Every structure is written in C-alpha cells, then in structure tokens.
Amino acid sequence: WTLAQVMEISADSWFTESDSLWPGQAFSLQIEKILYRGNSKFQDILVFKSKTHGNVLALDGIIQCTEKDEFAYQEMISHIPLFAHPSPKTVLIVGGGDGGVAREVAKHPEVEEIHLCEIDEKVIEVSKKYLPSVSVGFSSPKLTVHIEDGIKFMEKYSEKFDVIITDSSDPVGPAIPLYEKPYYELTNIALKPGGILCCLGDCLFTDLPFMEECTETLRSVFPVVGYSSTTVSTYACGQVGFLLAGKDKSVVLQKPVREATEAQVKEFGLRYYNFKVHCSSFVLPQFAQELNS
C-alpha cells in the first residue's frame, strides 16, 4: 500500500490491508468514499467511508479503527487497567491520537488528570474531523495533550502516573521502541507504587513468538505480567491482545479491584467491557498458556 495507490482508488473499489506482520493473508473493506488522504511528517494517513464499518482510519496502510468496532478495542485497553487499580487518579496515554482511549478513561470519576502524548498532531486533527464519536475524548476537561515523542516525554517523570496506557501502532518502524526493555523500564519509573501498565499486544495466531518475547522482557522489569485478549473484527485474524504489568507484587490484573456494576456499565455506555469479560479475557487457549504462566 502506498499513497499513490490510494489516489487511484475509485468510489466502488476496495481497501486491502496486507503487511509483513501477517504474510500470506489480507483483509479488505469496500470503499464508499475517500474522505481524506495525505502524508504527515511521520506516516501516510487515510480516512474513508466504508460500506459496512462506517468511517475508517488507516495509518501506513494498516487499519487503526472503524466506527463499527472501535469500542471493543478502546474499552478493553482502557478499563482493564483502570478497574484493576484501586484509585487511578493520574493517567498517561502514549499515542491514542484518535481520542478513543481518552474518551473511555475520562468516564472514570476517580480519574482527575489525563495526559495524552501523541507524536503526530495530524492524526488528532484528522480524527477530530472524521471520527467525531471517537475523538470526543479530546473534549474532556481532565485532558492535557502533549505533541511529542512518548519516550522523551516519559523520561521527565518519576512516580507520576497511576496507570500508563500505550495505545501504539503495530510493532514496525517508529513503534518498535515501545515494545523494548528501555521503554518498559521508563514506564516502571514513571508509575507510582501500585501502578499498572497496559500496552497493545498482538494477535495470538500471527505473533505468538513475539508476544512470548515481550512478556519475557516485561517480566525482567515488572513482578506481575499478563496478557488479555479481545476480539476486533477489522484487526488481523479478528483477535488482538494487551500486555499488562503491575509495578508491585500485590497488583492483581486478572480480577478488577473495583467492579463495574450494571448501573455503571449503563452510565459509561459500555458495549464490550464488563466484570465477567475482564476476568475471562485472561483465560487463554492451551497453545498460548505461557503468556499468563
């Protein structure tokens, strides 16, 4: 996929996502209308209206979110670490330029302060225009946006955040350092005692060896580590996961310390996350057991 190829797409054509991370397979959505295409300083950005999934955001040819199924990702990457923490007052989001994670984090009354560090301001601009139901997160008075490199931003802080959520792209190109030990060490320093880190994991079916490597690296930095799974129809194989880590041995990831009541689920407008889903997301198939051993 290149920007030049996108410019040749007609109104009745298909967007096809293929990548070296999942060789030999591809995923396609039929395009109704191209809404935006362009280059930022960091990546190619495409937004199109699809026939079946509403508006779609793709970065460097990889789908980041669609209006139809984004909630399954945004809710899980946000609420699993937040409900696993007894009192998350200060939260850092690294990435998250579409605003969806900020939207979910802001729903927690316990959260007083949200910092979002996004390197690509153009992603925020495009998301605000074409993904209003997602980017509504930017309207929260709790939120402060920082346009800079997440690693450099993290270097400024020690024991500042209760929860850090790394809402990054897949582990290619500039996102690779966010899956490496120096980054995990920085997050450990930046977390308060009892703090929790939640990062984008990858698909069990296409990236299990890499996930095993990442969990092993996390265990060399954090005493508590786990892998949680969710289903997102427009991600590779329809499955994606999250790598979680607790700064202290006392942290329990698999069971919320604050249970979302039925009333709270309705108040938050949740469509995927609930108490049972939180717990069951850590139950993995036999071939992936080592991730949570």
Side-chain angles (χ1 to χ4, degrees), residues 83 109-110 258-270:
F83 277 112
E110 296 83 2
R258 296 183 299 113
E259 181 177 344
T261 63
E262 287 188 21
Q264 205 167 23
V265 168
K266 291 180 180 178
E267 179 190 351
F268 282 17
L270 301 182

Side-chain angles (χ1 to χ4, degrees), residues 29 46-50 53-58 63 65-66 131:
L29 288 174
L46 170 68
V47 183
F48 63 92
K49 182 179 180 181
S50 68
H53 284 67
N55 290 355
V56 179
L57 171 67
I63 294 173
C65 69
T66 80
L131 296 166

